[in-house]
Amino acid sequence: STDEVSSFTSNVPSTREPRPVQFHNPYPLPQAPPPPRSPEEIIKDNAKPEKDLRTKWTQPKQELQEVLLAAKGSSLARRSNACGALKVLASKKKKQYTLAHTVGLLDSLVFAANESPPSAEADVAVDARTRAVTAIMYLSDPKENRVTVFEHPGLAATLVKVIEDDIGEARL
């Protein structure tokens, strides 16, 4: 008889509605992302502050002035010797900053490196060019000199010309 009662209750539909199951969300939805920023705003936020690039130029002493004039002169032998002297001076770490900021020095080196060698004295002219380019390389070694050296008028075009024309040491 208990079987009858149990079968009777199981066949009778329940009048009670089942409770809806509520799940707790363990991972809430993230916040909406901010709207995209303009490229100018991103660059402004990430750019380094601009440095004051005004260069304090120094006047050359008399001996150095004579060497600079010889480097711009018409005599290829004197030009080569002057560029060699400037190369030796520029190789000294203590003098590199002062030399790079000396009035007329970069002008002389750019002139000597830019001059096309005449065919009669090609060896001397190539030697002068090589020494001038090496002096420019020494002067641009310290980081604080690089902007001053590379922004010098005509230097970039001269270096490109040396790379295109020369096949020797000056290209390095």
Side-chain angles (χ1 to χ4, degrees), residues 107-160:
D107 291 329
S108 298
L109 292 174
V110 168
F111 176 83
N114 199 28
E115 284 297 297
S116 297
S119 59
E121 300 180 68
D123 291 341
V124 178
V126 168
D127 190 38
R129 177 181 276 181
T130 302
R131 290 174 177 184
V133 170
T134 304
I136 292 169
M137 181 189 69
Y138 286 146
L139 291 176
S140 62
D141 187 37
K143 286 186 178 182
E144 60 269 10
N145 285 356
R146 291 179 186 167
V147 172
T148 303
V149 170
F150 193 72
E151 285 186 344
H152 187 77
L155 179 76
T158 298
L159 293 178
V160 169

Side-chain angles (χ1 to χ4, degrees), residues 3-12:
D3 286 335
E4 290 177 17
V5 171
S6 82
S7 70
F8 177 66
T9 57
S10 64
N11 291 337
V12 174

Side-chain angles (χ1 to χ4, degrees), residues 54-58 89-90 92-102 105 138-140 142-146 148-149:
R54 287 179 280 170
T55 303
K56 296 175 185 167
W57 295 97
T58 58
L89 286 173
K92 308 295 183 202
K93 295 258 184 231
K94 291 181 182 180
K95 297 191 183 271
Q96 287 173 342
Y97 182 83
T98 306
L99 284 173
H101 295 86
T102 299
L105 184 118
Y138 286 146
L139 291 176
S140 62
K143 286 186 178 182
E144 60 269 10
N145 285 356
R146 291 179 186 167
T148 303
V149 170

Side-chain angles (χ1 to χ4, degrees), residues 34-91:
R37 299 184 305 163
S38 70
E40 292 81 17
E41 187 179 347
I42 294 171
I43 291 171
K44 179 183 168 197
D45 289 347
N46 293 304
K48 289 183 179 180
E50 291 187 24
K51 293 181 182 179
D52 184 17
L53 296 177
R54 287 179 280 170
T55 303
K56 296 175 185 167
W57 295 97
T58 58
Q59 293 297 322
K61 294 183 179 174
Q62 181 62 34
E63 296 87 11
L64 182 58
Q65 183 66 36
E66 291 173 10
V67 173
L68 297 178
L69 289 173
K72 284 183 159 183
S74 60
S75 169
L76 287 177
R78 283 182 50 94
R79 184 184 306 157
S80 179
N81 288 340
C83 289
L86 293 173
K87 179 183 93 169
V88 170
L89 286 173
S91 69

Side-chain angles (χ1 to χ4, degrees), residues 11-32:
N11 291 337
V12 174
S14 168
T15 58
R16 207 171 72 160
E17 291 289 320
R19 268 186 0 193
V21 178
Q22 292 184 351
F23 294 102
H24 294 286
N25 188 357
Y27 304 105
L29 292 175
Q31 295 179 353

